[in-house]
Amino acid sequence: MSVAIPLDLTLPVPSLADGKAEERALVVAAQNGSSDAFAALVRLHQRRAYAVCRAIVLTHEDAEDAVQEGFLHAFKALDRFLPDQPFGAWLYRIMANASLDLVRRRKVRDADELPDTIAMPFRDPGESDELRRRLSQALTTLSDRQRSVIVLHDVEGFTHGEIGGMLGIPEGTARSDLHHARAALRRILKDVRSDL
Amino acid sequence: MTDIRLHSNDDDEVVRGLRSLYAAPAGDGYWNELEARIMARVADVELGWWTELDRWVRPALAAAAILLLAASIAMFRAHEAENEIAVDSMLSSPTVPVSTGIRPALQDDREARIRFLFGSNR
């Protein structure tokens, strides 16, 4: 298929300031069959996509799998995407769904092993810092959804509305989950302080 | 983007801890490799049998719709032709007098009843 819009795909991904028009052009080109344009979209969004997936799944490896699945789903569904809509929001919803699917599959498969693997940092196996160790433990006491909400909000900076859209829950529920998650983590942190 | 920010020191520390736990891999090498893996899977999908199938779905649906339409028209015309033939045959056939058509049957029936009544009385 021919690509209607000429794009210099060898250039680095554009900054956010002029990124919207460029992104729209990339989406249209990808919809017209340009795999280079789709690669540019991957380059543009993969870090944020990873962050969304990482907030929902339990390990770095699962996040990688979910990102790949998510981009595959997005590629297959690209012709149904309307270029006037925000591509990021659409893509991150797909990423969240891919992650939730993966979590469901994992739960069915290794239900007994989950508490041990939850929220462990992938690059820091020999974690020495007491706070981080306690924080990792504290995260295991949260529900999957509360953990996802607090990470998406406090680490990634998504709004309650965006989080609700991604996780398929009302905005108020996201707000309440965040409140409970923070309270639980704050409690743990106080315990750490009193122990030290 | 974020609607509520944390203010207390405890919360700041929690956020710092969370950021450190959930930090994305640094370094372009990792991301280039991930992009390559994603695009390799996309290429597999592009070359997969279902893509070929997908390519044929629309023409197949269009062909099926045309066939269905043609079959419907043919059935409608056949039905119309049958009706015309039936009407023509009705109009062209000689009129049969009602009396000759019905009387023998009535007579037979009447005779049977009479025979039955007389027979049962005996």
Side-chain angles (χ1 to χ4, degrees):
Chain A
M1 270 180 277
S2 64
V3 180
I5 301 161
L7 294 166
D8 187 356
L9 299 167
T10 58
L11 291 172
V13 170
S15 69
L16 280 176
D18 59 342
K20 291 290 168 199
E22 193 78 18
E23 182 185 83
R24 192 178 178 280
L26 286 171
V27 169
V28 172
Q31 284 178 323
N32 287 330
S34 165
S35 57
D36 284 345
F38 189 75
L41 287 170
V42 170
R43 210 154 43 242
L44 192 63
H45 287 281
Q46 62 181 350
R47 287 167 197 255
R48 195 95 164 122
Y50 170 89
V52 169
C53 295
R54 184 67 189 88
I56 296 168
V57 302
L58 304 174
T59 64
H60 162 70
E61 288 75 18
D62 280 356
E64 274 189 338
D65 287 349
V67 168
Q68 291 178 56
E69 283 298 316
F71 273 115
L72 271 187
H73 287 310
F75 178 75
K76 289 176 188 172
L78 201 58
D79 55 348
R80 293 198 293 276
F81 173 72
L82 302 173
D84 292 334
Q85 295 175 336
F87 181 74
W90 179 77
L91 180 70
Y92 302 144
R93 193 166 299 179
I94 290 176
M95 292 296 163
N97 282 335
S99 306
L100 291 168
D101 279 350
L102 203 143
V103 168
R104 268 181 229 120
R105 288 204 300 272
R106 286 272 185 274
K107 269 190 177 164
V108 170
R109 215 170 60 186
D110 1 279
D112 297 335
E113 296 170 25
L114 285 187
D116 298 331
T117 57
I118 196 163
M120 292 303 288
F122 77 96
R123 286 180 302 154
D124 194 5
E127 188 178 350
S128 57
D129 179 55
E130 181 64 12
L131 172 67
R132 288 179 61 190
R133 197 181 66 76
R134 293 286 185 103
L135 199 53
S136 287
Q137 280 177 349
L139 284 165
T140 66
T141 66
L142 303 181
S143 71
D144 288 345
R145 204 178 66 198
Q146 286 175 340
R147 185 172 43 81
S148 301
V149 168
I150 195 170
V151 175
L152 287 169
H153 189 277
D154 286 352
V155 180
E156 300 305 328
F158 286 104
T159 64
H160 297 114
E162 287 168 336
I163 294 167
M166 276 190 270
L167 301 180
I169 54 174
E171 190 178 329
T173 307
R175 201 179 291 271
S176 142
D177 278 347
L178 180 67
H179 173 77
H180 290 299
R182 274 181 183 167
L185 295 185
R186 214 178 285 136
R187 233 178 3 252
I188 302 284
L189 193 72
K190 275 187 182 159
D191 290 347
V192 174
R193 282 238 175 89
S194 61
D195 288 352
L196 291 176
Chain B
M1 205 171 185
T2 306
D3 15 19
I4 294 178
R5 277 284 148 227
L6 302 171
H7 297 297
S8 73
N9 288 336
D10 284 357
D11 286 342
D12 286 346
E13 231 170 322
V14 167
V15 171
R16 266 202 303 279
L18 284 173
R19 283 191 179 147
S20 127
L21 283 175
Y22 283 89
D28 289 341
Y30 172 80
W31 296 106
N32 290 339
E33 199 227 325
L34 183 62
E35 181 197 328
R37 267 189 283 164
I38 291 166
M39 290 314 293
R41 290 189 66 182
V42 165
D44 284 348
V45 168
E46 272 184 318
L47 298 172
W49 62 269
W50 69 267
T51 310
E52 199 58 37
L53 188 71
D54 194 45
R55 199 173 294 166
W56 286 101
V57 163
R58 281 181 191 174
L61 280 175
I66 290 167
L67 272 175
L68 195 68
L69 188 69
S72 305
I73 291 169
M75 278 176 70
F76 177 73
R77 284 193 178 161
H79 186 65
E80 259 194 342
E82 273 174 21
N83 281 350
E84 275 175 23
I85 290 167
V87 170
D88 285 350
S89 66
M90 257 176 63
L91 293 175
S92 62
S93 62
T95 314
V96 180
V98 174
S99 56
T100 55
I102 296 170
R103 187 169 286 167
L106 285 175
Q107 279 176 344
D108 287 346
D109 194 29
R110 203 170 156 191
E111 280 172 13
R113 269 189 223 154
I114 289 166
R115 258 189 243 119
F116 173 75
L117 286 171
F118 281 118
S120 63
N121 284 342
R122 276 177 200 168

